[in-house]
Amino acid sequence: MEQNVFFLPHEGLKLAELAEFLGAELVNSDHAGVIVRSVAPISRALAGDVCYILSRRSRDELATCEASVVICDKALADLVPQHIPVILSSNPHAAFAMAGGLLYPAALRPVTFSPGEGEIAPSAVIDPSAKLEKGVIVEPMAVIGAHAEIGEGTRIGAQSIIGPGVKIGRDCSIAAGASILCALLGNGVIIHNGVRIGQDGFGYAPGPRGMIKIVQIGRVIIQDNVEIGANTTIDRGAMDDTVIGEGTKIDNQVQIGHNVQIGRHCAVVAQVGIAGSAKIGNGVQIGGQVGIKGHVTIGDGVQIAAQSGIMTDLAAGGQYGGTPARPLNDYLRDVAQMMSKTRVRGKKPGGEQND
């Protein structure tokens, strides 16, 4: 890959410093002064790059690797060529993520459009009753409504809208074009481009003259260190609150309905749809394009395979897949049997393909 002009390499970090930051072990202290500046996959890692491996399937790529360090588990250290330094970690994936954040801190937050700490663009529109702590940056053409409150070190992106009465904590990033209404956000929250938070939920009562709109007068509560991907929508509650728990990470283009409650440290992948009043526990992982019915409860630690349909409550700690969702092993068995039957029906007894 050509030099990336959007995210420039680090000025240089010694392996001893990197290992200390990761809380990991540099195998050979003779390599303590080796300098790293970037991250790369094993297949094209060059001098100055940090890479990592998770299995012995990386053996062939390591043979031609020119990285300045490989992060791996102790059991895989023998795969790394002798000339490449090794940092040992019990969780190489997490260690590599931490290394990337250290070398490219600017890539951890949405792209910004105006420099300067505490700067407010002349074209921003801020109601006189809004309260901004020191160090708040407001980019061009952003709008901040009456009685909104924004904490120290938070950045409000270009053309974003912060509605009346909204409260945003400290060290948050609100990217360009986002809109936040009827919401309270904690500290360290990251909102990516085009996110819509706090619009009214989808609530209607059938009547003799058609659908009658049900008022949506709840809020959205987003706790500390939540990250919400581009063009995701989170509806405000009808009469209760929609809640996103601390540390939860939500991908792009996710729809979260009114009154939904999502627990702490969950992962919700792209194009998931969660209908109103669903309750999701802590540490839940939801694969892409999953649909979740309203008013169901999903227990702590559940893992849901991509494109599954959740129609009933799911017990804590289980793995589920399919539509309707069932225990993952049952779903995989069903898929294997269906594929086997399809192959049998598609061939004649002599092995020739039927027309």
Side-chain angles (χ1 to χ4, degrees):
M1 185 176 72
E2 296 181 1
Q3 176 61 53
N4 189 343
V5 298
F6 301 109
F7 300 103
L8 299 178
H10 194 277
E11 60 186 12
L13 187 72
K14 294 180 180 179
L15 287 187
E17 296 171 318
L18 178 61
E20 181 179 3
F21 175 77
L22 300 177
E25 176 189 354
L26 179 62
V27 171
N28 188 341
S29 60
D30 291 343
H31 296 143
V34 172
I35 299 296
V36 291
R37 294 182 171 85
S38 185
V39 293
I42 302 169
S43 59
R44 58 175 180 80
L46 301 174
D49 290 337
V50 178
C51 58
Y52 75 115
I53 58 173
L54 295 177
S55 75
R56 294 188 173 272
R57 288 177 294 183
S58 301
R59 183 192 302 270
D60 292 342
E61 292 179 320
L62 279 168
T64 58
C65 181
E66 299 180 29
S68 289
V69 67
V70 172
I71 302 173
C72 67
D73 185 88
K74 185 176 182 179
L76 300 176
D78 63 307
L79 297 181
V80 182
Q82 292 294 320
H83 67 281
I84 299 178
V86 173
I87 288 179
L88 296 180
S89 171
S90 59
N91 189 341
H93 195 183
F96 181 76
M98 292 172 62
L102 182 62
L103 295 172
Y104 290 95
L108 295 176
R109 297 267 176 163
V111 173
T112 59
F113 293 93
S114 65
E117 185 174 335
E119 177 179 318
I120 297 177
S123 60
V125 178
I126 303 175
D127 189 277
S129 64
K131 297 179 181 179
L132 279 60
E133 292 186 345
K134 66 179 182 180
V136 171
I137 295 173
V138 184
E139 296 183 356
M141 301 180 70
V143 177
I144 300 176
H147 305 292
E149 297 181 14
I150 300 174
E152 179 179 355
T154 287
R155 180 183 288 268
I156 305 299
Q159 295 188 319
S160 57
I161 297 174
I162 310 301
V166 167
K167 292 180 173 57
I168 299 176
R170 295 173 176 169
D171 298 316
C172 296
S173 291
I174 312 300
S179 61
I180 303 176
L181 311 170
C182 306
L184 308 178
L185 279 61
N187 300 321
V189 173
I190 299 175
I191 306 294
H192 286 270
N193 304 75
V195 167
R196 304 290 180 232
I197 295 174
Q199 60 285 334
D200 63 346
F202 190 77
Y204 295 88
R209 296 186 179 180
M211 305 296 283
I212 303 171
K213 191 176 183 69
I214 298 173
V215 295
Q216 309 284 301
I217 57 173
R219 306 172 298 179
V220 177
I221 309 297
I222 297 178
Q223 296 178 359
D224 293 351
N225 300 315
V226 168
E227 184 163 0
I228 300 172
N231 294 322
T232 282
T233 58
I234 303 177
D235 297 341
R236 68 176 182 262
M239 288 171 283
D240 296 316
D241 293 330
T242 302
V243 180
I244 311 297
E246 176 188 0
T248 284
K249 312 301 181 185
I250 300 172
D251 199 0
N252 304 332
Q253 297 183 325
V254 172
Q255 159 63 21
I256 298 174
H258 57 198
N259 303 339
V260 167
Q261 296 181 20
I262 298 179
R264 300 167 61 245
H265 304 297
C266 295
V268 183
V269 183
Q271 297 184 351
V272 166
I274 306 176
S277 299
K279 291 182 172 59
I280 296 170
N282 300 319
V284 174
Q285 298 180 16
I286 304 174
Q289 297 186 330
V290 167
I292 299 177
K293 180 180 176 292
H295 298 273
V296 301
T297 297
I298 296 174
D300 294 347
V302 164
Q303 296 177 330
I304 304 174
Q307 296 189 323
S308 298
I310 312 304
M311 310 299 291
T312 60
D313 295 351
L314 299 181
Q319 295 179 311
Y320 300 89
T323 301
R326 48 208 181 273
L328 188 60
N329 287 339
D330 294 345
Y331 165 62
L332 295 176
R333 188 181 305 111
D334 292 344
V335 170
Q337 291 175 349
M338 180 179 66
M339 293 178 65
S340 177
K341 291 177 181 178
T342 300
R343 286 195 297 266
V344 170
R345 285 197 300 267
K347 291 185 178 182
K348 294 178 180 178
E352 298 178 1
Q353 190 72 31
N354 286 325
D355 293 333

